[in-house]
Amino acid sequence: MVTVAAEIANTAARLVVEEGAEYAQAKRRALKALGLPARTALPDNDAVEEAVAEYIAVFCADTQPGELRALRQLAFVWMERMAEFRPHLAGAVWYGTATRRSDIYIQLFCDDPKSAEIALIDHRVDYEPRTVTGFRGESVEALSLSSFSRELGEMIGVHLLVYDLDDLRGALRPDARGRTPRGDLTAVRRLLQEIPS
Protein backbone atom coordinates (compact mmCIF):
# COMPACT_ATOMS: atom_id res chain seq x y z
CA MET A 1 0.00 0.00 0.00
CA VAL A 2 1.34 3.45 -0.94
CA THR A 3 1.47 5.85 2.00
CA VAL A 4 0.38 9.48 1.76
CA ALA A 5 4.02 10.56 2.19
CA ALA A 6 5.09 8.28 -0.69
CA GLU A 7 2.28 9.62 -2.89
CA ILE A 8 3.39 13.19 -2.16
CA ALA A 9 7.03 12.25 -2.88
CA ASN A 10 6.09 10.57 -6.18
CA THR A 11 3.98 13.52 -7.32
CA ALA A 12 6.72 15.95 -6.28
CA ALA A 13 9.30 13.85 -8.16
CA ARG A 14 7.30 14.19 -11.37
CA LEU A 15 7.24 17.98 -10.93
CA VAL A 16 10.98 18.06 -10.24
CA VAL A 17 11.85 16.00 -13.33
CA GLU A 18 9.30 17.35 -15.80
CA GLU A 19 9.24 21.01 -14.76
CA GLY A 20 12.50 21.55 -12.88
CA ALA A 21 10.68 22.48 -9.67
CA GLU A 22 12.73 22.84 -6.49
CA TYR A 23 11.98 20.18 -3.87
CA ALA A 24 10.18 22.48 -1.41
CA GLN A 25 8.00 23.99 -4.15
CA ALA A 26 7.31 20.54 -5.65
CA LYS A 27 6.14 19.16 -2.29
CA ARG A 28 3.74 22.09 -1.77
CA ARG A 29 2.39 21.74 -5.30
CA ALA A 30 2.02 17.98 -4.82
CA LEU A 31 -0.17 18.60 -1.75
CA LYS A 32 -2.42 20.82 -3.81
CA ALA A 33 -2.49 18.44 -6.80
CA LEU A 34 -3.48 15.56 -4.53
CA GLY A 35 -6.15 17.63 -2.78
CA LEU A 36 -4.55 17.16 0.63
CA PRO A 37 -4.83 19.62 3.53
CA ALA A 38 -2.04 22.20 3.78
CA ARG A 39 -1.04 20.79 7.19
CA THR A 40 -0.34 17.31 5.84
CA ALA A 41 3.14 16.14 6.89
CA LEU A 42 5.54 16.37 3.97
CA PRO A 43 8.15 13.75 3.10
CA ASP A 44 11.77 14.76 3.64
CA ASN A 45 14.06 15.64 0.75
CA ASP A 46 15.72 12.21 0.83
CA ALA A 47 12.34 10.58 0.10
CA VAL A 48 11.74 12.98 -2.79
CA GLU A 49 15.25 12.35 -4.11
CA GLU A 50 14.63 8.59 -4.07
CA ALA A 51 11.34 9.13 -5.91
CA VAL A 52 13.14 11.34 -8.46
CA ALA A 53 15.72 8.60 -9.08
CA GLU A 54 12.90 6.03 -9.55
CA TYR A 55 11.00 8.35 -11.89
CA ILE A 56 14.12 8.94 -13.98
CA ALA A 57 14.82 5.18 -14.14
CA VAL A 58 11.29 4.49 -15.42
CA PHE A 59 10.57 7.47 -17.67
CA CYS A 60 13.91 9.06 -18.61
CA ALA A 61 16.48 6.27 -18.67
CA ASP A 62 17.26 6.86 -22.36
CA THR A 63 17.77 10.66 -22.14
CA GLN A 64 18.84 11.49 -18.59
CA PRO A 65 22.48 10.27 -18.71
CA GLY A 66 23.27 12.56 -21.66
CA GLU A 67 21.43 15.48 -20.06
CA LEU A 68 23.30 14.94 -16.79
CA ARG A 69 26.63 14.87 -18.61
CA ALA A 70 25.78 18.14 -20.42
CA LEU A 71 24.85 19.81 -17.12
CA ARG A 72 28.03 18.59 -15.45
CA GLN A 73 30.08 19.88 -18.41
CA LEU A 74 28.47 23.31 -18.10
CA ALA A 75 29.01 23.25 -14.33
CA PHE A 76 32.67 22.39 -14.91
CA VAL A 77 33.05 25.39 -17.25
CA TRP A 78 31.68 27.73 -14.58
CA MET A 79 33.76 26.09 -11.87
CA GLU A 80 36.90 26.69 -13.95
CA ARG A 81 35.87 30.32 -14.51
CA MET A 82 35.37 30.78 -10.76
CA ALA A 83 38.30 28.55 -9.70
CA GLU A 84 39.86 31.22 -7.46
CA PHE A 85 36.79 30.98 -5.21
CA ARG A 86 37.14 27.26 -4.45
CA PRO A 87 33.95 26.15 -6.28
CA HIS A 88 32.08 23.02 -5.25
CA LEU A 89 29.22 21.50 -7.23
CA ALA A 90 26.15 20.54 -5.18
CA GLY A 91 22.53 19.49 -5.66
CA ALA A 92 21.00 17.22 -8.28
CA VAL A 93 23.79 17.79 -10.83
CA TRP A 94 26.33 16.58 -8.25
CA TYR A 95 24.20 13.67 -6.99
CA GLY A 96 23.27 12.50 -10.49
CA THR A 97 19.50 13.03 -10.39
CA ALA A 98 19.45 16.08 -12.68
CA THR A 99 17.70 16.38 -16.02
CA ARG A 100 17.68 19.20 -18.60
CA ARG A 101 15.08 20.98 -16.43
CA SER A 102 17.47 21.15 -13.47
CA ASP A 103 19.48 24.20 -12.48
CA ILE A 104 23.15 24.04 -11.53
CA TYR A 105 24.20 24.95 -7.97
CA ILE A 106 27.84 25.83 -7.36
CA GLN A 107 29.02 26.84 -3.91
CA LEU A 108 31.89 29.32 -3.72
CA PHE A 109 34.08 29.69 -0.62
CA CYS A 110 35.61 33.17 -0.61
CA ASP A 111 38.05 35.15 1.54
CA ASP A 112 35.93 38.20 0.69
CA PRO A 113 32.28 37.38 -0.11
CA LYS A 114 31.98 40.38 -2.47
CA SER A 115 34.95 39.21 -4.57
CA ALA A 116 32.89 36.66 -6.53
CA GLU A 117 30.36 39.33 -7.47
CA ILE A 118 33.17 41.68 -8.53
CA ALA A 119 34.62 38.90 -10.72
CA LEU A 120 31.28 38.54 -12.55
CA ILE A 121 31.05 42.31 -13.02
CA ASP A 122 34.63 42.42 -14.35
CA HIS A 123 33.77 39.70 -16.89
CA ARG A 124 30.54 41.51 -17.86
CA VAL A 125 28.33 38.60 -16.81
CA ASP A 126 24.67 39.47 -16.29
CA TYR A 127 23.46 38.03 -12.99
CA GLU A 128 20.76 38.59 -10.41
CA PRO A 129 21.71 38.71 -6.72
CA ARG A 130 19.35 36.83 -4.44
CA THR A 131 19.28 35.50 -0.91
CA VAL A 132 18.73 31.76 -0.49
CA THR A 133 18.90 29.23 2.32
CA GLY A 134 22.39 27.76 2.69
CA PHE A 135 23.44 24.24 3.60
CA ARG A 136 23.25 24.99 7.33
CA GLY A 137 19.88 26.73 7.09
CA GLU A 138 21.43 30.22 7.13
CA SER A 139 20.82 33.01 4.60
CA VAL A 140 23.40 33.01 1.81
CA GLU A 141 23.90 35.35 -1.14
CA ALA A 142 23.35 33.70 -4.52
CA LEU A 143 24.43 35.12 -7.85
CA SER A 144 21.99 33.67 -10.40
CA LEU A 145 22.61 33.70 -14.13
CA SER A 146 21.66 31.87 -17.31
CA SER A 147 24.24 30.07 -19.40
CA PHE A 148 23.84 28.38 -22.78
CA SER A 149 24.45 24.64 -23.02
CA ARG A 150 25.51 23.70 -26.54
CA GLU A 151 24.80 20.03 -25.86
CA LEU A 152 21.24 20.72 -24.70
CA GLY A 153 20.65 23.66 -27.03
CA GLU A 154 19.10 25.81 -24.32
CA MET A 155 19.78 28.21 -21.49
CA ILE A 156 20.41 26.68 -18.07
CA GLY A 157 20.11 28.39 -14.70
CA VAL A 158 23.41 28.58 -12.82
CA HIS A 159 23.39 29.67 -9.19
CA LEU A 160 26.64 30.65 -7.49
CA LEU A 161 26.12 30.51 -3.72
CA VAL A 162 28.68 32.63 -1.89
CA TYR A 163 30.03 31.36 1.44
CA ASP A 164 32.85 32.52 3.70
CA LEU A 165 36.08 30.57 3.38
CA ASP A 166 35.61 29.31 6.97
CA ASP A 167 32.44 27.48 5.90
CA LEU A 168 34.50 25.10 3.76
CA ARG A 169 35.76 23.26 6.85
CA GLY A 170 32.42 21.60 7.60
CA ALA A 171 31.16 21.51 4.03
CA LEU A 172 32.69 18.18 3.09
CA ARG A 173 31.32 16.11 5.96
CA PRO A 174 29.20 13.21 4.67
CA ASP A 175 25.44 13.73 4.74
CA ALA A 176 22.98 11.55 6.67
CA ARG A 177 23.26 8.88 3.97
CA GLY A 178 27.07 8.87 4.04
CA ARG A 179 27.46 10.70 0.72
CA THR A 180 29.79 13.60 0.06
CA PRO A 181 27.36 16.52 -0.34
CA ARG A 182 29.46 18.48 -2.86
CA GLY A 183 32.53 18.11 -5.05
CA ASP A 184 35.39 20.32 -6.20
CA LEU A 185 36.84 20.64 -9.73
CA THR A 186 38.83 17.41 -9.40
CA ALA A 187 35.76 15.46 -8.28
CA VAL A 188 33.61 16.84 -11.11
CA ARG A 189 36.34 16.08 -13.67
CA ARG A 190 36.35 12.50 -12.36
CA LEU A 191 32.55 12.28 -12.75
CA LEU A 192 32.80 13.49 -16.33
CA GLN A 193 35.38 10.83 -17.10
CA GLU A 194 33.14 8.12 -15.62
CA ILE A 195 30.03 8.97 -17.68
CA PRO A 196 30.22 7.74 -21.27
CA SER A 197 29.76 10.44 -23.93
Side-chain angles (χ1 to χ4, degrees):
M1 184 172 112
V2 177
T3 65
V4 171
E7 199 166 339
I8 294 167
N10 291 337
T11 303
R14 181 181 54 77
L15 294 168
V16 168
V17 174
E18 292 181 4
E19 299 179 21
E22 306 254 341
Y23 283 17
Q25 175 195 38
K27 288 189 277 188
R28 288 191 303 272
R29 287 180 56 198
L31 272 185
K32 193 177 273 191
L34 295 168
L36 295 169
R39 292 186 176 180
T40 304
L42 296 173
D44 63 19
N45 285 348
D46 286 344
V48 175
E49 187 177 359
E50 286 176 24
V52 166
E54 289 171 15
Y55 189 95
I56 287 170
V58 172
F59 298 105
C60 309
D62 55 337
T63 57
Q64 191 266 348
E67 292 173 1
L68 175 61
R69 180 175 180 74
L71 292 169
R72 284 179 171 167
Q73 286 172 328
L74 185 58
F76 189 78
V77 166
W78 278 99
M79 291 173 76
E80 283 189 317
R81 287 179 186 164
M82 304 301 282
E84 67 183 288
F85 306 110
R86 300 162 197 86
H88 284 70
L89 181 61
V93 179
W94 168 248
Y95 283 132
T97 54
T99 67
R100 70 185 316 119
R101 300 279 177 244
S102 303
D103 284 356
I104 296 169
Y105 292 87
I106 298 171
Q107 299 168 346
L108 307 176
F109 296 90
C110 308
D111 296 312
D112 171 14
K114 283 290 174 198
S115 57
E117 192 168 358
I118 292 166
L120 291 180
I121 292 168
D122 288 347
H123 289 95
R124 293 180 172 78
V125 174
D126 288 330
Y127 67 92
E128 182 180 324
R130 304 182 315 148
T131 301
V132 298
T133 303
F135 61 81
R136 290 193 186 113
E138 76 285 27
S139 291
V140 173
E141 184 177 7
L143 310 172
S144 297
L145 54 102
S146 291
S147 186
F148 187 73
S149 167
R150 273 195 333 252
E151 293 81 8
L152 297 175
E154 61 188 76
M155 299 299 281
I156 301 296
V158 178
H159 307 282
L160 306 171
L161 282 65
V162 182
Y163 291 89
D164 287 322
L165 182 57
D166 292 345
D167 292 327
L168 185 56
R169 273 183 278 168
L172 300 177
R173 286 193 193 111
D175 65 12
R177 296 164 71 183
R179 303 175 302 175
T180 304
R182 55 198 50 80
D184 62 9
L185 269 164
T186 302
V188 175
R189 183 181 293 114
R190 199 174 313 119
L191 286 176
L192 286 169
Q193 290 167 348
E194 291 170 4
I195 302 174
S197 301

